[in-house]
Structure formats: structure tokens, C-alpha cells
Amino acid sequence: MRLIRKAPARRDGGAHHPIRRPLPLVSLLLTVLLLLTGAVACAGEDASLPGTHEDMAGLGQLKGQARRPVQEQQRREEQDLDEQGREDEEGREQQAPAPPKLKQTPEQRLAAARRWGLDQAPLVAPPPPREKPRLTTPEWADQGPDLIPAPARVPTDQKIAFLTIDDGAAKDREFLDMVRDLQVPLSAFLTDESAAEDYGYFRDLHALGVSIQNHTLHHPQMNHISEDEQYTEICGQQDILEREIGVRPTLFRPPFGDFDADTLAVAEECGARAAPLWNEEAFADRMDFRHDDQRFHPGDIILTHFNGPKAWGGTMCDMLRTVLRKVTEQGYALARLEDYV
């Protein structure tokens, strides 16, 4: 509230009368001195009142100076809100979409395939559905109701399969070139103890449209450790991948495919919406099938690893050739798991 100073009431009822005789010199000096003292006191009191310069109009520069810090603070607050909104939006869209691929003619696709030792060009997957299908956990992996799904396949009638690669030990630069040239969709599930040596490699892989997902810090058998330890393994890797890759994973794969109800509850708490398993495993020179008919079924998830000659006697490119030959021979195309899960 601003104080308003009232002029003293006139004893003559307010009528104005001119001064008829001059004041003595001493009286005049005293009057001037009193007026100056009062003016200084008023200025000091007004300046000490909260909001005085904001409320009083016509103070020119003083008013502008008083408003600048307020305007600057408002501007900073608006920027903070905008940044928070962008962060919230990024949190909702936790995996960036795959970058647009260069359109290739059938002749270009075949030429690229032959450069990488393939007789046939890989088939191209149809567009993903607008709504993701409802995932289920197979009976042999079920841990009870009200848990995130742990699918070994995606429910679909399309002849598609999903290539997923675990751990992160081998960091084969030639493999990056092959993925780029053949425009292969795949997903990587990283373990920190394997990948930490060179997260730059996996940033390059992510730049090709490969999503980076969670496979724990140290690759333990999850159903053999406590709930608190599971939390550390899963949420700890979530934080590292968000920092290193720039997006927070939405999928979690339990090492060895072993887990319990606590694992899935903790994974959901850490931000995962599913815990994909697999129906096939790929190596440099062969594929192992869970199905008795030794064939792909629509929506199957394929497991492999970032390995090399020490583990396989072959390279990552050998593994990818094996997968592409098998799926193409059976009339299947590879699709991106995150578009369906």
C-alpha cells in the first residue's frame, strides 16, 4: 500500500489569499530550509516502501530501472518452462524415430547386397501398424499377472522378424558400414561393462536408426540377486544410456533370459514397457531355432551378440549375412522392434 501525504488544512476554510507583505529574511531562509528537509525526507520514505516505484507513474528512468529485473526474471522463468516442456516431451518420446532412409531402386539394393556377399537383396518390411499390437508373455516365461510383457514374438500375420543384438563387446566398424549400406533395421541391448569402453561406437550405430536398449550394468542372472540389486542393475544402466546416447531406453532384456516377478516390476519402475525374449539365436555360421520346424514364424524375435572371431570364429558381418540369407530364403523381412513393441 502506498502512503498519500495530505496537505495541511487551511484555517481560512480553503480560500486563497495573496501574501500582502514580504516575509522577514530570516523567516524566508527558515522556510526554504524546512521545505528542502521535507522533500529529502519524503524521497527517502517513498524509496523505502515496497512497490513504490512500480505503482507511481511518471517517474521515467526510475520506473524502468525497477522493472528490468522483474522482466528479466519473467523471461528466465518462461525459458525454464519451455525447456521443461521439451524435456517432458522427450521423456514421452523416449526413443527417437529412425532417420529417413534413402530410397533405393531394386537394382541398387541388389548391387549393395552383392557388395556384401549376398546373392539376393534383403526383403523390405511393410509399414508398421498405426497402433502397436498387444504383447503377451509365453507360458514358459510367465511370472504372474499385472507385469510388463516378456514377448518372444510380436503378434502379427506379416512375414517379418526382428533382429536384436546384446552386450556390446565387439565394436566392428565394418558392421556399421554394412548396416548403413543395406539399411538393416535392428535393436541393441547394451551391458555397461561390455559397452563402456567405447559408447561412441553405439552413438554412431544409433545415428543409423538403431535403437539402444537396456541389458543391465554387469549382466547378472537376475533371479539370483535381490530386488535392490536388480534395481541398481536396471535403473543404473537406464541412467548411463540416457547420458551416453541421449535417450532413455523403453525396453529391457534380462541377461540369459532369466528373471522373476521382481525383475519385471523393477524394470517397469525404471521406465521399461516390455522385456523382450527371443525364439531364434544367430551366430556367424548358423542359426538356432526354438520352433521344432526350424523355421521363422511371423513376428519372431532373433537374438545375437556383439561378438567376433574369438567367440564365433567369424565377424559381425558374417553373422548379419547368415541372418539375412535365412530370413530372405524363407520370404521374411527384418523390421524394427520398437515400431511394434
Side-chain angles (χ1 to χ4, degrees):
M1 182 177 68
R2 182 172 50 146
L3 298 181
I4 301 175
R5 299 182 179 276
K6 294 183 178 180
R10 296 180 182 272
R11 294 180 181 177
D12 56 11
H16 178 71
H17 297 282
I19 298 174
R20 295 185 180 277
R21 59 179 184 272
L23 292 172
L25 181 58
V26 175
S27 299
L28 182 59
L29 290 175
L30 287 174
T31 301
V32 172
L33 183 59
L34 288 171
L35 290 173
L36 289 174
T37 303
V40 171
C42 289
E45 290 173 5
D46 284 348
S48 68
L49 294 174
T52 297
H53 294 313
E54 286 294 317
D55 296 337
M56 294 176 65
L59 291 183
Q61 186 177 3
L62 282 177
K63 183 176 180 180
Q65 289 173 345
R67 288 189 61 83
R68 280 190 211 110
V70 176
Q71 292 169 341
E72 181 65 17
Q73 181 179 356
Q74 290 174 343
R75 185 182 65 81
R76 287 197 299 267
E77 290 174 352
E78 290 172 355
Q79 288 178 341
D80 290 342
L81 288 173
D82 290 342
E83 292 174 0
Q84 183 63 47
R86 286 192 294 270
E87 290 173 0
D88 291 344
E89 185 64 29
E90 290 169 0
R92 288 188 292 271
E93 190 64 31
Q94 291 171 324
Q95 282 291 340
K101 295 179 179 179
L102 296 176
K103 290 184 178 181
Q104 295 178 322
T105 64
E107 292 77 15
Q108 290 172 325
R109 290 182 57 77
L110 180 58
R114 287 175 173 170
R115 283 197 302 272
W116 289 102
L118 298 170
D119 294 331
Q120 294 178 278
L123 299 176
V124 179
R130 291 185 178 180
E131 293 186 8
K132 295 180 179 181
R134 183 178 178 273
L135 303 174
T136 58
T137 301
E139 290 185 5
W140 49 265
D142 188 29
Q143 297 294 321
D146 302 323
L147 297 169
I148 61 173
R153 62 174 294 270
V154 171
T156 180
D157 57 2
Q158 297 175 332
K159 296 187 75 172
I160 55 175
F162 305 95
L163 180 60
T164 63
I165 312 180
D166 283 7
D167 298 341
K171 302 165 185 68
D172 187 337
R173 286 280 162 183
E174 190 177 24
F175 177 71
L176 294 182
D177 295 335
M178 189 174 182
V179 170
R180 180 188 300 107
D181 289 353
L182 298 179
Q183 300 186 352
V184 180
L186 55 92
S187 306
F189 290 79
L190 300 185
T191 300
D192 183 64
E193 68 176 8
S194 298
E197 180 185 33
D198 185 7
Y199 271 114
Y201 176 86
F202 299 103
R203 285 191 288 271
D204 292 343
L205 194 62
H206 182 252
L208 298 179
V210 174
S211 73
I212 305 299
Q213 305 292 354
N214 189 335
H215 197 42
T216 72
L217 292 173
H218 304 102
H219 207 274
Q221 197 166 356
M222 300 300 283
N223 56 356
H224 287 187
I225 61 176
S226 70
E227 183 179 356
D228 287 344
E229 290 171 319
Q230 293 193 49
Y231 185 92
T232 298
E233 286 288 336
I234 300 173
C235 286
Q237 181 66 338
Q238 290 283 91
D239 294 340
I240 288 174
L241 292 176
E242 183 174 21
R243 182 181 71 243
E244 293 289 345
I245 307 300
V247 290
R248 194 166 183 85
T250 57
L251 304 178
F252 164 73
R253 170 168 284 159
F256 312 105
D258 292 335
F259 59 94
D260 55 23
D262 286 341
T263 310
L264 298 182
V266 169
E268 182 178 21
E269 184 178 351
C270 295
R273 61 174 178 249
L277 303 176
W278 60 91
N279 277 333
E280 292 84 24
E281 183 169 358
F283 302 87
D285 59 351
R286 74 181 195 279
M287 291 197 66
D288 291 345
F289 290 81
R290 191 186 304 275
H291 307 299
D292 291 337
D293 60 7
Q294 299 295 292
R295 295 184 64 83
F296 294 105
H297 292 192
D300 273 356
I301 298 174
I302 305 167
L303 165 70
T304 189
H305 295 83
F306 287 96
N307 277 333
K310 284 187 177 181
W312 284 340
T315 66
M316 293 288 293
C317 293
D318 292 331
M319 175 277 298
L320 188 53
R321 271 187 286 270
T322 297
V323 172
L324 291 175
R325 284 179 182 139
K326 284 286 186 181
V327 296
T328 305
E329 287 170 2
Q330 295 187 21
Y332 278 75
L334 291 180
R336 203 172 92 118
L337 183 62
E338 288 70 20
D339 293 336
Y340 292 78
V341 175

